[in-house]
């Protein structure tokens, strides 16, 4: 709506013509200003709500702190007893206290008053960080905390109005301001006689004001303004959705709501957490790196922008953010910035199961074009990618077929990069070849170490081999901070609890059951045969006909699904075994559950996302059954908030990935994670070994701390785990030979 002047019209005569001109522009200017004031007022209302809610949360936190403890926060000898005597019994009572008023109280004095007010200010700041704003949905489907429906209504209105108002803001502001300034003088021309008897200076001012209004008539802005204001005014008058519809919309689009909220009221997140605990000089360089997101269709969170800047600044990097933090969108942001600087081609390498997801992400989140360099139509896609540019997508298996002579590939992204941790595999060699050809390489993985700490170093070696070669052999002895500084040029990791303060928590529960007689018989047969896979499935062997009395795990699963359905929650059931999923699906369907799947390895890759979309579109209470090796990676399942693992997995990463499919950005309910475990058997042995492996992960990789000297000491492979578990159980039950090195006393316990 830029001004487009045409031929000037004849001056407006005072009287009737002037009245018509003034009234028309006064009305239009008032409407324009009303639209702007309405949207700005909603934004202010959001900020006010957040401020008031923060004060409420702080007050609740401080209400539990006795005033007597304020003396612990300062070395001064404060007269706390006098403050208590005045009726200030808790820190919350002092939240709005004024130091001058406190000082006037008997026995308090100026020193105590200032010390108390300073202590309360510190406590309030800490309390705000301890209890960040978190919106959820309760069992009745209503927003929490109390009053959050008002906030959601305001945010919904901002999200609805901003896209249609903001494109016109400059023009509306200029028009309303200019007209409002001209109206007082122009109104003198409404009565011709009064203007004729006015002083010459007044007549000149009035004539100029009329000319200013008349000039707007000669522009396209005013020509289009009535229709524009009619559209905007109708949007402003549109009522907000009712509370249940708002809650449902928030569940679908919570990330958009939070992005809008943070844009209005920036949250003071922990800067170190958002920046992955990087050295300050590197943080400064990364933060100063420009980021052009013109090719992005979505907004990024602050920590995501930092991640993209980190990858751009470092050139070759490993983004190890915990699952659910949006590694894909950060990689797309890197491509968007490079595209803005003239780069035309980008290559993404990922498991075949994620190709469809990547194609959707490129299409929906950027203006770039995706080309599937995999499967049927690969040759045509390769030709289009080479000629037109865009994002080439291929699997690890398909990467060797992508010609390396395609010029000017600006970035190679390797998703689920832990798949190439073994440098001797064919896919690792193919990725390494491209990593040597292209300068910018970005590895994405939420699990940089699965079983062996050395896996992390192998990934780093592909990106920056000289960094690994120059690490001191005994660096681990100096502690995690020293290692973090050493690998800072290549490694960035943030955890959900640090940067997604609005993400609900995970409520994990191990459901232990006793094997039924039929289960125990199947289990003993599997142990005698030394068959670990049969041992892991034995607790489900008697559930094939849906007999809950014969299968304890199946009975517990039916209870969990029923409870979830009563609460309007959808459920994802994971198992490593297809036979277990078939039993689960048949049993739940026979009891009236809306079952989707099984999502298993024999479902074509191109159809998997569609199955997930159908599940997400179903109402609360639906169930998706999925093999953990398929549904546990790459797919977004935050439509569900209950996850069930039918058996413990052989690596901590497999279980974490499965839960993280639900517990990720966009989740608005606390995720209930249930692990079904049978006592006195393989489940118990696997859980014990998993706990040890999880401690290794937490101690080293979760804090970006890898000690090269300790690699051999903590190597636990799946093969050795299987041998250990089978040997322990055969020894305990009296089957087969004793494993050499197994102590009889431990085996009998």
């Amino acid at each position: 709506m830029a001004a487009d002047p045409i031929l000037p019209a004849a001056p407006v005569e005072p009287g009737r013509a002037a009245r018509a001109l003034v009234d028309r522009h006064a009305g239009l200017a008032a409407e324009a200003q009303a639209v702007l004031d309405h949207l700005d007022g909603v934004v202010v209302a959001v900020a006010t709500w957040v401020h008031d809610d923060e004060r409420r949360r702080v007050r609740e936190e401080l209400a539990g702190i006795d005033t007597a403890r304020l003396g612990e926060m300062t070395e001064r000898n404060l007269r706390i007893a006098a403050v208590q005597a005045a009726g200030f019994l808790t820190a919350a009572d002092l939240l709005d206290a004024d130091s001058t008023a406190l000082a006037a109280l008997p026995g308090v004095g100026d020193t105590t008053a200032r010390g108390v007010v300073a202590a309360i200010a510190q406590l309030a700041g800490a309390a705000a960080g301890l209890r960040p704003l978190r919106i959820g949905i309760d069992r009745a489907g209503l927003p929490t905390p109390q009053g959050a429906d008002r906030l959601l209504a305001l945010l919904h209105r901002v999200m609805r109005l901003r896209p249609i108002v903001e494109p016109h803001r400059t023009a509306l502001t200029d028009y309303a301001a200019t007209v409002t300034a001209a109206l007082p003088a122009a109104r003198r021309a409404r009565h011709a006689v009064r203007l004729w008897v006015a002083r010459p200076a007044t007549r000149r001012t009035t004539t100029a004001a009329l000319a200013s209004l008349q000039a707007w008539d000669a522009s396209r802005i005013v020509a289009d303004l009535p229709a524009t204001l009619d559209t905007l005014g109708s949007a402003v008058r549109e009522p907000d959705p009712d509370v249940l519809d708002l809650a449902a919309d928030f569940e679908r689009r919570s990330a958009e709501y939070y992005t809008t909220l943070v844009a209005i009221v920036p949250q003071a997140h922990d800067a170190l957490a958002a920046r992955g605990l990087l050295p300050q000089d590197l943080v400064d360089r990364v933060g100063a790196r420009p980021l052009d997101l013109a090719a992005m269709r979505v907004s990024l969170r602050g920590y995501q922008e930092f991640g993209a800047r980190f990858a751009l600044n470092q050139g070759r990097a490993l983004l190890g953010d915990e699952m659910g933090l949006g590694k894909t969108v950060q990689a797309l942001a890197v491509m968007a910035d490079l595209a803005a600087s003239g780069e035309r081609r980008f290559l993404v390498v990922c498991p075949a199961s994620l190709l469809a997801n990547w194609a959707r992400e490129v299409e929906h989140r950027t203006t770039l074009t995706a080309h599937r360099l995999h499967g049927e139509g690969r040759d045509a896609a390769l030709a289009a990618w080479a000629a037109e540019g865009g994002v080439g997508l291929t699997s690890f298996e398909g990467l060797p077929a992508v010609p390396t002579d395609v010029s000017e590939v600006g970035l190679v992204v390797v998703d689920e990069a832990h798949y190439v941790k073994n440098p001797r595999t064919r896919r690792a060699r193919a990725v390494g070849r491209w990593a040597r050809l292209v300068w910018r390489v970005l590895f994405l993985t939420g699990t940089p170490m699965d079983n062996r700490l050395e896996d992390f170093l192998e990934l780093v070696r592909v990106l920056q081999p000289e960094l690994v070669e120059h690490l001191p052999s005994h660096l681990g002895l100096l502690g995690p901070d020293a290692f973090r500084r050493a690998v800072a040029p290549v490694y960035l990791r943030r955890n959900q609890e640090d940067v997604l303060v609005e993400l609900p928590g995970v409520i994990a529960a191990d459901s232990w059951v006793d094997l039924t007689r039929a289960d125990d018989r199947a289990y003993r047969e599997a142990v005698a045969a030394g068959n670990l896979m049969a041992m892991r499935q034995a607790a489900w062997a008697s559930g094939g006909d849906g007999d809950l009395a014969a299968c304890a795990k199946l009975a517990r699963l039916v209870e969990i699904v029923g409870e979830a359905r009563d609460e309007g929650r959808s459920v994802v059931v994971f198992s490593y075994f297809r036979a277990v999923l078939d039993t689960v699906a048949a049993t739940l369907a026979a009891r009236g559950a809306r079952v989707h799947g099984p999502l298993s390895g024999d479902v074509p890759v191109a159809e998997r996302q569609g199955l997930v979309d159908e599940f997400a579109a179903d109402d609360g209470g639906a169930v998706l059954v999925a093999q953990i090796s398929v549904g546990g990676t790459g797919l977004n399942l935050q439509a569900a908030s209950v996850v069930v693992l039918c058996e413990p997995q052989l690596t901590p990463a497999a279980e974490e990935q499965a839960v993280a499919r639900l517990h990720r950005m966009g989740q608005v309910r606390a995720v209930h994670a249930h692990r079904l475990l049978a006592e006195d058997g393989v489940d118990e042995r696997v859980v014990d070994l998993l706990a040890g492996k999880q401690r290794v992960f937490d101690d080293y990789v979760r804090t970006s701390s890898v000690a090269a000297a300790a690699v051999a000491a903590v190597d636990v492979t799946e093969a050795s785990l299987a041998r250990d578990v089978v040997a322990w159980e055969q020894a305990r039950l009296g089957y087969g030979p004793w494993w050499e090195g197994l102590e009889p006393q431990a085996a009998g316990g």
Side-chain angles (χ1 to χ4, degrees):
M1 283 180 38
D4 185 14
I6 56 179
L7 294 176
V12 175
E13 294 294 330
R16 180 181 300 174
R19 282 197 299 274
L21 178 70
V22 169
D23 292 347
R24 183 172 72 257
H25 283 290
L28 290 174
E31 289 184 51
Q33 193 61 53
V35 168
L36 297 173
D37 289 347
H38 178 82
L39 178 55
D40 293 343
V42 175
V43 170
V44 170
V46 169
T48 301
W49 192 99
V50 172
H51 176 268
D52 292 345
D53 183 71
E54 181 178 276
R55 297 294 285 181
R56 175 190 62 78
R57 286 180 277 118
V58 168
R59 192 174 297 279
E60 289 177 356
E61 193 73 26
L62 298 192
I65 300 176
D66 194 292
T67 307
R69 301 194 59 189
L70 296 180
E72 301 173 11
M73 299 183 61
T74 176
E75 296 179 356
R76 297 174 181 173
N77 186 19
L78 302 182
R79 299 170 181 172
I80 300 299
V83 175
Q84 291 178 302
F88 298 98
L89 303 181
T90 71
D93 298 331
L94 290 160
L95 188 58
D96 300 314
D98 175 78
S99 61
T100 302
L102 278 179
L105 296 174
V108 175
D110 189 57
T111 299
T112 294
R114 287 201 305 270
V116 165
V117 169
I120 292 297
Q122 292 179 26
L123 282 173
L130 287 171
R131 298 186 60 184
L133 171 61
R134 180 172 290 159
I135 307 171
I137 304 297
D138 65 15
R139 295 179 61 174
L142 297 174
T144 59
Q146 184 176 7
D149 55 331
R150 168 64 175 163
L151 176 62
L152 292 185
L154 292 169
L155 291 172
H156 183 276
R157 183 160 282 263
V158 172
M159 293 160 58
R160 182 170 57 81
L161 293 179
R162 267 187 171 170
I164 60 176
V165 172
E166 292 302 331
H168 304 295
R169 178 176 285 276
T170 299
L172 293 179
T173 301
D174 290 348
Y175 172 74
T178 304
V179 169
T180 301
L183 281 176
R187 284 194 173 101
R188 300 191 190 103
R190 292 168 56 86
H191 304 283
V193 175
R194 293 181 184 176
L195 185 60
W196 290 338
V197 299
R199 292 180 297 176
T202 300
R203 289 198 298 272
R204 287 194 297 271
T205 303
T206 300
T207 300
L210 289 173
S212 174
L213 297 181
Q214 195 176 15
W216 281 108
D217 281 340
S219 72
R220 286 238 169 82
I221 290 179
V222 170
D224 299 337
L225 195 55
T228 299
L229 289 175
D230 184 60
T231 300
L232 298 181
S234 296
V236 166
R237 292 187 294 273
E238 183 178 326
D240 297 320
D242 64 34
V243 62
L244 291 177
D245 288 339
L246 273 173
D249 188 61
F250 175 66
E251 282 202 86
R252 288 191 298 269
R253 302 192 295 155
S254 64
E256 294 179 49
Y257 277 84
Y258 276 116
T259 298
T260 302
L261 176 63
V262 170
I264 295 173
V265 188
Q267 303 296 302
H269 297 327
D270 184 347
L272 286 178
R275 291 167 171 80
L277 305 177
L278 299 178
Q280 188 58 48
D281 58 341
L282 181 54
V283 168
D284 293 341
R285 292 198 304 274
V286 171
R289 206 281 183 191
L291 184 63
D292 191 327
L293 299 179
M296 296 294 294
R297 301 184 192 273
V298 297
S299 300
L300 269 66
R301 309 292 294 274
Y303 73 89
Q304 291 172 334
E305 287 193 5
F306 186 88
R309 286 189 171 96
F310 176 83
L312 287 163
N313 190 76
Q314 301 307 99
R316 302 170 72 85
L318 169 57
L319 184 58
D321 284 350
E322 192 171 15
M323 288 170 288
L325 295 186
K327 292 186 289 294
T328 299
V329 77
Q330 294 178 68
L332 293 175
V334 174
M335 296 180 199
D337 181 272
L338 294 174
S341 64
E343 297 286 357
R344 299 184 57 235
R345 293 180 197 84
F346 314 100
L347 179 63
V348 174
V349 188
C350 63
S353 60
L354 300 186
L355 288 171
N357 188 66
W358 266 98
R360 290 164 62 96
E361 293 290 289
V362 172
E363 177 185 354
H364 293 159
R365 297 179 181 272
T366 77
T367 59
L368 303 174
T369 302
H371 303 279
R372 296 278 291 272
L373 315 180
H374 180 84
E376 187 176 351
R378 179 182 63 192
D379 292 341
L382 278 167
W385 180 55
E388 303 166 11
V391 184
L393 307 174
T394 190
S395 66
F396 290 111
E397 293 72 22
L399 181 60
V402 179
T404 56
D405 60 354
V406 176
S407 63
E408 300 176 5
V409 174
L411 171 72
V412 173
V413 175
V414 181
D415 195 7
E416 305 290 354
H418 52 277
Y419 277 45
V420 297
K421 63 191 178 186
N422 184 348
R424 293 180 294 276
T425 61
R426 184 169 180 261
R427 59 191 175 197
R429 291 196 300 269
V431 167
R433 186 179 307 114
W434 274 94
R436 290 188 295 273
L437 290 172
V438 178
W439 182 69
R440 289 190 181 276
V441 182
L442 178 59
F443 279 9
L444 308 178
T445 174
T447 54
M449 182 199 74
D450 205 354
N451 286 316
R452 287 163 37 94
L453 288 171
E454 193 176 20
D455 296 341
F456 175 84
L457 291 178
E458 290 298 338
L459 296 179
V460 173
R461 186 174 281 112
V462 177
L463 296 168
Q464 297 190 24
E466 67 285 352
L467 188 150
V468 177
E469 292 170 3
H470 288 89
L471 289 178
S473 59
H474 300 294
L475 181 62
L477 299 178
L478 301 179
D481 290 340
F483 190 88
R484 186 180 300 120
R485 287 193 296 271
V487 298
V490 70
Y491 183 48
L492 177 66
R493 178 180 175 87
R494 282 78 55 90
N495 296 318
Q496 286 183 349
E497 63 185 12
D498 296 321
V499 297
L500 282 188
V501 296
E502 75 274 10
L503 191 65
V506 174
I507 302 172
D510 283 345
S511 295
W512 290 92
V513 300
D514 292 319
L515 290 177
T516 64
R517 182 171 299 176
D519 291 337
D520 185 63
R521 184 166 53 251
Y523 181 69
R524 287 176 176 271
E525 291 174 358
V527 173
N531 187 334
L532 177 62
M533 294 298 108
M535 291 163 60
R536 296 177 67 202
Q537 297 178 76
W540 296 91
S542 56
D545 60 357
D547 185 357
L548 303 188
C551 184
K553 280 194 176 183
L554 187 60
R556 178 62 185 129
L557 175 64
V558 169
E559 292 176 356
I560 292 170
V561 171
E563 293 167 0
R565 183 174 58 244
D566 292 342
E567 296 181 4
R569 294 174 176 266
S570 293
V571 183
V572 180
V573 179
F574 284 117
S575 175
Y576 183 84
F577 305 101
R578 173 60 191 267
V580 172
L581 294 180
D582 290 339
T583 296
V584 168
T587 302
L588 293 178
R591 284 166 169 72
R594 300 190 308 280
V595 179
H596 298 261
L599 179 60
S600 60
D602 55 6
V603 176
V605 172
E607 298 177 13
R608 293 177 186 176
Q609 186 63 50
L611 197 158
V612 172
D613 291 342
E614 292 176 5
F615 168 67
D618 204 342
D619 293 331
V623 180
L624 173 69
V625 293
Q627 277 188 294
I628 199 164
S629 57
V630 176
T633 59
L635 297 175
N636 299 327
L637 301 174
Q638 60 266 44
S641 57
V642 178
V643 57
V644 181
L645 302 176
C646 291
E647 69 282 322
Q649 303 308 304
L650 301 186
T651 68
E655 297 190 353
E656 286 192 352
Q657 283 182 329
V659 175
R661 294 303 105 203
L662 286 68
H663 189 242
R664 59 196 300 112
M665 191 185 307
Q667 181 60 261
V668 298
R669 295 178 184 239
V671 173
H672 292 254
H674 300 269
R675 189 166 56 167
L676 303 181
L677 304 168
E679 290 190 323
D680 297 327
V682 63
D683 288 357
E684 196 163 344
R685 300 301 178 195
V686 170
V687 167
D688 288 343
L689 286 170
L690 277 178
K693 294 165 69 176
Q694 183 65 56
R695 284 192 294 273
V696 171
F697 182 87
D698 289 341
D699 290 345
Y700 290 88
V701 177
R702 186 174 297 279
T703 57
S704 301
S705 174
V706 179
V711 169
V714 296
D715 179 19
V716 182
T717 64
E718 288 192 23
S720 65
L721 183 148
R723 185 184 66 168
D724 293 355
V725 169
V726 171
W728 277 97
E729 287 302 286
Q730 287 187 334
R732 184 177 67 87
L733 298 178
Y735 297 110
W738 288 84
W739 167 46
E740 184 179 357
L742 183 67
E743 293 182 340
Q745 299 91 328

